[in-house]
Amino acid sequence: MSNIIACYPGTFDPITLGHLDVIKRATRLFSKLIIAVAESTKKNTWFTTKERLSLIKESVKEVNLDLDKVEIVSFNSLLVDFCKKKNIKVIVRGIRVVSDMEHEFGMAFLNRKLAPYIETIFLMPDEKYAYVSSSAVREIAFYGGSLSCFVTKCVEKALREKVKEIRRKINILKE
Ligand code: COA
């Protein structure tokens, strides 16, 4: 698969060690991996697109992944249109547990209908990340729980700062 450019799309709000594990596996398979950060999602994100991009860049460095093989960009369109523009033939998605499959298959089939020549492939992160998700990590951060098993140090720091900001806003609304 060496000359194939792949993309790993997601919201990454924020990036977790599970995402990074998928990125590590994908960089072994493809010559280049474009991490595609969805700007506009149905999700009400904690982090802005700029913050999410910079946390991915810092995290990729922190875990010593090959930055030369990785490009980190945002997109604000259909994923398949982004892929066409960048000449991407493979979409990588992570499957953690069986229940991910229903949602992932739906997206993969829709993307195939829209662009039949783009393949979606699924990679499994290490089982120690099977139950990690960005929303779980945000919730743990909100209640002050330990984050070191789930995110990089820079993401942990950013989450702690974000929680302070959110709690400040909540207190202002209460006054
Ligand atoms: N480690 C940790 N978490 C993981 C993970 C892993 N290996 N794999 C998946 N997840 C988590 C994600 O963090 C996310 O958690 P959250 O809901 O707690 O935030 C969840 O699993 C998957 O969320 P989902 O909404 O399916 O995907 P996403 O946020 O990663 O990205 C897009 C979805 C951006 C790829 C998709 O919406 C898209 O392509 N949008 C562009 C518009 C488009 O083309 N739409 C048509 C697509 S059919």
Side-chain angles (χ1 to χ4, degrees), residues 47-134:
F47 293 98
T48 63
T49 306
K50 204 170 155 213
E51 288 169 332
R52 285 180 280 142
L53 286 167
S54 109
L55 286 174
I56 295 171
K57 194 165 180 196
E58 280 182 64
S59 297
V60 165
K61 276 195 215 153
E62 200 179 306
V63 298
N64 294 319
L65 291 180
D66 189 352
L67 257 180
D68 291 342
K69 281 191 127 190
V70 167
E71 187 180 324
I72 306 155
V73 289
S74 60
F75 73 103
N76 195 1
S77 64
L78 280 178
L79 178 60
V80 290
D81 289 338
F82 169 81
C83 291
K84 275 183 219 168
K85 217 166 68 192
K86 292 272 197 182
N87 199 24
I88 292 163
K89 301 281 189 304
V90 176
I91 296 169
V92 173
R93 292 284 290 171
I95 292 265
R96 298 160 297 173
V97 286
V98 175
S99 54
D100 279 348
M101 284 182 177
E102 198 177 333
H103 174 65
E104 291 299 332
F105 280 25
M107 271 205 309
F109 284 131
L110 275 175
N111 284 330
R112 178 180 279 170
K113 201 84 190 155
L114 294 167
Y117 47 87
I118 298 175
E119 290 298 339
T120 300
I121 70 154
F122 300 104
L123 296 179
M124 288 185 300
D126 192 299
E127 66 246 38
K128 64 181 179 233
Y129 304 124
Y131 296 98
V132 181
S133 72
S134 298

